[in-house]
């Protein structure tokens, strides 16, 4: 099979399209013909070596799969040959999705939504799965609560907004002005232009000084320390960003705040719930660009550096199968 292989970490030029052996499914595993994958910030972080201690070279990376089951191992009970599925491969355990075939445990696989294509479905497992983990599993967001989502136009921000609106929350988000119209179409109640507004002042003004019930951090920096300033009593902060520098959380102490640190986990249950939301129209893919596997480096470059489109938003798909 063809695969994008990294023999060393570094720039986008380090990818090599090579012929490698097609894997075989073992007990409780299925072999999937990969029709499409997508690109996430985790992908370029892995490629450049941020997690080099977690991986052994050479390695096939990639963290989204949408495809078709072509072979099942012994003990598989919930899937059959021909099933269309989608999922996130086990992170740092085995190889990833930048290949024509992939083997996965049936416990992490979900049935692909019927009303979208493989390319569209491939935009969901990691990004929307992370959003589900943050909102439903950790924050347990409730109807009529208020939430600030940092980075609303990002790959995780977009499904997080849609899921929060599906739960009946009032949603605030930060984004550049060029993306405001799109985010309002998603249902955001108020978009804050972080280049022109101080989001802390704006949130306190919009909430009459009460603050929000939940803050979702997808950007890092000083967000953790600053979030305490805009939390309601018993508020929650959920972050998926590595903490690079020590943070002073004194402002959260007086709010009796709870902090959640998320590194997404794989399981079928959340994929099944995402499928229901996609099929009833409450969660929609925002696929903006597609590359072939042979141009995986260009896909990474667009997401990481925005070199060919500084205003890019949404997801980047990678077409693999036909």
């Amino acid at each position: 099979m063809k695969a994008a292989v990294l023999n060393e970490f570094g720039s986008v030029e380090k990818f090599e399209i090579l012929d490698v052996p097609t894997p075989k499914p073992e007990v409780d595993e299925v072999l999937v013909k990969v029709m499409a994958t997508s690109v996430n910030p985790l992908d370029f972080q892995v490629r450049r070596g941020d997690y080099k201690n977690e991986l052994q070279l050479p390695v096939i990376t990639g963290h989204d799969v949408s495809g078709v089951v072509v072979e099942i191992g012994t003990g598989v009970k919930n899937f059959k040959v021909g099933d269309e599925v989608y999922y996130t491969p086990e992170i740092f355990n085995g190889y990833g999705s930048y290949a024509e075939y992939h083997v996965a445990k049936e416990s992490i696989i979900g049935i692909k939504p019927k009303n979208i294509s493989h390319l569209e479905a491939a935009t969901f497992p990691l990004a929307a799965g992370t959003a589900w983990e943050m909102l439903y599993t950790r924050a347990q967001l409730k109807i009529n609560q208020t939430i600030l989502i940092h980075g609303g136009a990002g790959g995780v921000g977009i499904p997080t907004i849609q899921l929060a609106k599906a739960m009946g929350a009032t949603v605030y988000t930060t984004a550049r002005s060029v993306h405001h119209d799109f985010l309002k179409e998603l249902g955001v109640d108020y978009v804050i232009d972080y280049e022109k507004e101080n989001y802390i002042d704006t949130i306190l003004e919009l909430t009459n000084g009460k603050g929000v019930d939940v803050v979702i951090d997808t950007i890092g920096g000083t967000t953790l320390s600053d979030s305490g300033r805009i939390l309601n009593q018993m508020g929650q902060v959920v972050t998926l960003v590595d903490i690079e520098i020590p943070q002073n959380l004194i402002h959260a102490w007086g709010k009796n705040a709870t902090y959640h640190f998320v590194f997404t986990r794989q399981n079928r249950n959340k994929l099944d719930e995402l499928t229901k939301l996609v099929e009833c129209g409450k969660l929609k893919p925002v696929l903006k660009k597609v590359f072939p596997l042979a141009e995986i480096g260009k896909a990474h470059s667009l997401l990481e550096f925005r070199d060919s489109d500084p205003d890019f938003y949404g997801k980047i798909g990678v077409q693999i199968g036909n």
Side-chain angles (χ1 to χ4, degrees):
M1 69 175 183
K2 297 288 186 183
V5 179
L6 286 176
N7 286 299
E8 59 180 307
F9 298 112
S11 68
V12 298
E13 288 79 17
K14 299 301 182 182
F15 284 114
E16 296 183 70
I17 305 300
L18 302 175
D19 287 308
V20 300
T22 301
K24 297 288 291 183
E26 298 183 355
V27 176
D28 297 330
E29 292 182 336
V30 300
L31 176 65
V32 175
K33 177 178 173 59
V34 181
M35 305 303 291
T37 183
S38 75
V39 182
N40 304 278
L42 177 60
D43 298 324
F44 65 69
Q45 291 163 4
V46 167
R47 186 212 72 236
R48 68 192 184 191
D50 293 15
Y51 299 98
K52 60 184 177 182
N53 293 332
E54 305 292 335
L55 296 164
Q56 184 175 352
L57 294 172
V59 66
I60 300 168
T61 64
H63 299 92
D64 287 301
V65 169
S66 185
V68 181
V69 175
V70 294
E71 187 178 347
I72 60 174
T74 58
V76 172
K77 299 177 181 178
N78 298 288
F79 298 92
K80 63 183 185 302
V81 171
D83 283 344
E84 295 188 315
V85 298
Y86 73 145
Y87 59 95
T88 293
E90 294 183 80
I91 299 172
F92 306 145
N93 184 18
Y95 68 90
S97 59
Y98 295 168
E100 292 179 319
Y101 293 90
H102 187 267
V103 160
K105 296 177 181 178
E106 68 165 336
S107 60
I108 69 169
I109 293 173
I111 293 293
K112 181 186 80 68
K114 295 180 176 61
N115 59 330
I116 59 176
S117 68
H118 282 290
L119 273 167
E120 292 171 321
T123 67
F124 281 131
L126 184 61
T130 299
W132 178 275
E133 176 103 5
M134 292 191 297
L135 295 181
Y136 288 75
T137 307
R138 303 300 184 89
Q140 299 181 15
L141 187 68
K142 299 175 178 62
I143 189 170
N144 294 327
Q145 284 193 314
T146 53
I147 182 171
L148 170 64
I149 300 167
H150 284 286
V156 174
I158 290 170
T160 304
I161 288 168
Q162 294 183 73
L163 291 175
K165 292 304 297 182
M167 296 188 70
T170 297
V171 176
Y172 308 105
T173 193
T174 59
R176 295 169 56 214
S177 59
V178 69
H179 299 139
H180 284 201
D181 288 344
F182 160 70
L183 292 170
K184 289 175 182 177
E185 291 175 3
L186 287 184
V188 172
D189 295 279
Y190 193 95
V191 189
I192 300 167
D193 184 350
Y194 63 83
E195 293 182 324
K196 298 179 181 179
E197 299 177 72
N198 181 308
Y199 77 86
I200 295 173
D201 294 339
T202 301
I203 288 294
L204 291 176
E205 180 180 350
L206 290 170
T207 61
N208 296 317
K210 294 180 180 179
V212 294
D213 299 304
V214 177
V215 174
I216 299 294
D217 172 26
T218 70
I219 59 173
T222 61
T223 304
L224 289 183
S225 57
D226 289 342
S227 290
R229 301 175 183 269
I230 56 167
L231 281 179
N232 197 352
Q233 277 291 325
M234 307 298 290
Q236 300 183 80
V237 179
V238 188
T239 182
L240 54 80
V241 184
D242 295 343
I243 302 175
E244 297 181 355
I245 58 175
Q247 304 257 346
N248 186 341
L249 305 183
I250 188 64
H251 298 290
W253 176 75
K255 304 292 182 64
N256 289 289
T258 301
Y259 278 69
H260 305 269
F261 301 89
V262 174
F263 189 84
T264 192
R265 299 169 293 178
Q266 291 72 52
N267 64 73
R268 185 188 312 146
N269 291 339
K270 68 180 176 183
L271 290 173
D272 290 345
E273 294 301 321
L274 292 175
T275 293
K276 293 175 187 176
L277 289 167
V278 173
E279 292 183 343
C280 73
K282 293 185 177 180
L283 181 60
K284 299 178 181 180
V286 180
L287 176 65
K288 288 296 184 178
K289 187 75 174 180
V290 177
F291 292 88
L293 182 61
E295 296 181 1
I296 189 64
K298 291 182 179 179
H300 272 233
S301 184
L302 174 58
L303 184 63
E304 185 176 5
F305 304 114
R306 303 293 201 276
D307 48 3
S308 62
D309 186 353
D311 296 329
F312 182 83
Y313 68 94
K315 289 287 290 186
I316 299 169
V318 179
Q319 181 78 56
I320 297 180
N322 297 312

